[in-house]
Amino acid sequence: MPKLPWAPAANSKDRREMLERIGVKGVMELYRDIPREIILREPPRVGFGRQLSEWEIRRIIDRLLARNRVFLDPPPFMGGGACMHVVPAAVEAIVSRSEFYTAYTPYQPEINQGLLQAFFEYQSLMADLLEMDVVNLSMYDWSTAAAEAALAAMRVTRRRKIVVAGNIHPERLEVMKTWLLGKDATLEILGFDGETGKTSLEDAESRIDAGTAAVYVETPNFLGVIEDEIEAIADAAHRRGALLIAGVEPLSLGIVRPPGSYGADIAVGDAQPLGLGLNYGGPYLGVFATRWDRRLVRQMPGRLIGLTRAVDGEEYGFTMILQTREQHIRREKATSNITSNEALLAVAAAAYLSLLGGQGLRELARSIWLRSHYAAKRLGELEGVEAPLFKGEFFKEFVARFPKPYREVHSALLEKGILGGLPLAERPPLQDERSALFCVTEAHSMSDIDKLVEAVGEAL
């Protein structure tokens, strides 16, 4: 499908009419909040000296885009939550259909039965995968889903304390801190075992108390380690009347226990691995699910799509059964101000899961587990390299520590056309200049991994 350029209303008559419609006299009224001293008085000089034709502008843009470095051989090994995965051509074909990609929020949803059915299928597939009862549609990403879950837990329990595992993704922790500002909330951080990389159960037992609304744990956590004692943490939370919020990587559920099996009250995550690819930061699809509890379901942000029968009882139909966003009737009583629709990505995730099926998901998860363990083993055989750094079982991502600052190794890899692991010098919870977080998926062949290990060896 050809990509058409954006053609704005550029003539003075159209601009004047647009300004009149919105009730302003000039364009600068729209920028009245910006200090006058930082507003340019004339267009910036970009070096052309004359007005350019469309074709000339296109050639300039293409030259600039050609300077981007694209890592495909081998694919990037950078960890940190958004990893390289294979996106089937069928998924791209489905979400390229105009009835899907042109739809924003269905304000009269029942006339879009095909779209609603696709949403319903996404909810059903994710509910099966997570072993949770209710899945919503749709969140921005994992970080905002986690923050929304913390706020929902506070509303349900009427408590103000959130306990968070210290080995979660640092950016998600920052988002949670931001969203809790002004909510009279307390956020406490749990320690983790420096040998295994797992959350300290002892610390959880001591910090969870009668004022705790929820405990948030990720598995696999930011370090790639699977939290195999999360059921015990759930029990500790429930004994004190708190909720357990589990953050999960959906592909790992092909071989790792789903959150519903160990008592999670709310499960969150990101569907980026499910056919969404890498999109320079998004958009992604935040997952939000709960067990069946009317209090929890009523506090879910986003929308729920349900299945019903027509009046004559002969046909099935789909309908939006719950939407708690502020753009609709609830206004200031809304549970969330989430508005942008990520539902196109939900369609992609539904298509991806439908293509794989249960057996395909298990095979894919096992393949990722094997490849990531092979990479860790090969790196660990290099002199002075500790890989994996933590002894806890891991999935897809793992930390490696090097005998010298990793930035030097990373630069050497870039010179060879390899995007290595994520430097952890300035990233909590390690903040170790010799460590990096690597990610290995089904996109990486054995020869890709061998090429990485050989290049690292030369860099050392």
Side-chain angles (χ1 to χ4, degrees):
M1 180 177 296
K3 295 183 178 179
L4 301 176
W6 177 55
N11 63 72
S12 59
K13 179 179 178 297
D14 288 342
R15 283 198 294 265
R16 186 168 58 253
E17 183 179 348
M18 291 165 67
L19 292 172
E20 290 175 355
R21 287 289 185 93
I22 62 175
V24 298
K25 296 179 179 179
V27 172
M28 293 310 298
E29 282 193 45
L30 302 175
Y31 302 99
R32 59 178 177 269
D33 294 332
I34 300 175
R36 291 290 176 178
E37 60 270 19
I38 67 172
I39 295 180
L40 296 178
R41 290 181 172 81
E42 59 183 28
R45 298 184 182 276
V46 292
F48 304 128
R50 61 183 178 84
Q51 189 172 4
L52 300 179
S53 68
E54 178 184 343
W55 172 245
E56 289 172 313
I57 292 173
R58 186 177 296 228
R59 290 188 67 185
I60 292 170
I61 292 174
D62 287 344
R63 280 201 299 270
L64 292 173
L65 291 174
R67 293 165 58 184
N68 289 334
R69 298 188 66 179
V70 179
F71 298 92
L72 293 177
D73 187 19
F77 291 93
M78 183 168 283
C83 298
M84 179 73 176
H85 288 280
V86 175
V87 179
V91 172
E92 294 184 341
I94 290 170
V95 296
S96 294
R97 293 183 61 88
S98 60
E99 59 266 44
F100 289 139
Y101 75 71
T102 59
Y104 179 58
T105 298
Y107 287 100
Q108 291 80 34
E110 281 64 44
I111 67 172
N112 299 298
Q113 283 296 299
L115 198 60
L116 289 183
Q117 181 173 358
F119 298 163
F120 182 82
E121 299 295 346
Y122 162 77
Q123 293 177 177
S124 302
L125 289 163
M126 290 303 298
D128 285 345
L129 182 63
L130 299 165
E131 289 192 8
M132 302 292 286
D133 299 311
V134 185
V135 179
N136 82 345
L137 186 96
S138 51
M139 309 298 296
Y140 296 138
D141 54 20
W142 190 335
S143 297
T144 52
E148 291 275 14
L151 295 176
M154 290 169 58
R155 293 192 295 268
V156 169
T157 62
R158 300 184 182 278
R159 299 177 179 182
R160 319 306 294 176
K161 177 177 169 181
I162 303 294
V163 177
V164 178
N167 52 16
I168 72 168
H169 197 300
E171 294 174 8
R172 285 193 275 276
L173 179 58
E174 288 303 310
V175 171
M176 293 182 75
K177 288 179 178 179
T178 300
W179 283 42
L180 290 174
L181 284 175
K183 299 293 184 180
D184 190 27
T186 301
L187 192 147
E188 292 191 9
I189 310 297
L190 295 176
F192 65 94
D193 191 300
E195 184 175 351
T196 65
K198 295 186 292 186
T199 300
S200 169
L201 179 58
E202 182 179 352
D203 198 20
E205 289 279 6
S206 65
R207 288 182 180 272
I208 303 170
D209 55 29
T212 302
V215 182
Y216 177 64
V217 183
E218 291 180 359
T219 180
N221 57 42
F222 176 65
L223 308 173
V225 176
I226 297 170
E227 298 280 1
D228 54 16
E229 293 184 317
I230 193 169
E231 189 166 17
I233 297 175
D235 290 341
H238 293 155
R239 286 199 307 271
R240 296 166 178 84
L243 304 180
L244 176 73
I245 305 171
V248 297
E249 195 278 8
L251 280 186
S252 71
L253 302 181
I255 56 175
V256 177
R257 291 178 63 189
S261 71
Y262 48 75
D265 301 285
I266 303 174
V268 297
D270 202 307
Q272 180 267 330
L274 305 180
L276 306 188
L278 291 173
N279 300 309
Y280 202 70
Y284 289 139
L285 174 65
V287 176
F288 193 110
T290 71
R291 59 177 171 81
W292 176 249
D293 182 318
R294 185 177 295 274
R295 297 175 306 158
L296 289 173
V297 175
R298 290 294 301 175
Q299 294 301 326
M300 288 181 75
R303 312 159 185 79
L304 294 178
I305 310 302
L307 174 67
T308 186
R309 284 185 181 273
V311 175
D312 59 12
E314 296 296 322
E315 295 182 308
Y316 286 105
F318 299 90
T319 182
M320 193 177 293
I321 60 174
L322 181 67
Q323 49 182 340
T324 52
R325 54 192 292 216
E326 44 73 77
Q327 273 187 258
H328 294 289
I329 60 173
R330 294 182 63 82
R331 298 298 183 186
E332 73 278 0
K333 295 180 180 180
T335 60
S336 169
N337 70 344
I338 186 168
T339 56
S340 292
N341 191 12
E342 307 295 308
L344 178 64
L345 305 176
V347 174
Y352 183 90
L353 289 172
S354 300
L355 286 168
L356 261 69
Q359 184 60 32
L361 186 65
R362 283 188 289 272
E363 292 175 1
L364 176 58
R366 178 170 172 77
S367 173
I368 294 172
W369 184 90
L370 288 169
R371 292 168 198 240
S372 57
H373 280 67
Y374 173 73
K377 179 178 181 297
R378 287 296 319 279
L379 284 171
E381 292 170 352
L382 296 174
E383 184 176 356
V385 178
E386 298 175 77
L389 180 61
F390 298 101
K391 294 182 179 179
E393 184 56 75
F394 66 92
F395 178 83
K396 190 168 77 171
E397 297 181 84
F398 62 90
V399 177
R401 177 176 286 164
F402 298 85
K404 65 179 183 179
Y406 173 70
R407 284 285 185 186
E408 299 177 22
V409 179
H410 195 71
S411 297
L413 292 177
L414 286 175
E415 291 178 3
K416 295 179 180 294
I418 299 174
L419 184 59
L422 178 71
L424 297 178
E426 300 176 359
R427 285 180 173 80
L430 292 187
Q431 295 179 301
D432 179 6
E433 68 171 8
R434 294 195 294 125
S435 294
L437 183 63
F438 286 80
C439 180
V440 180
T441 72
E442 78 282 4
H444 298 92
S445 67
M446 303 291 271
S447 61
D448 291 333
I449 297 169
D450 291 340
K451 186 182 295 186
L452 167 70
V453 174
E454 181 182 350
V456 170
E458 293 174 1
L460 294 176

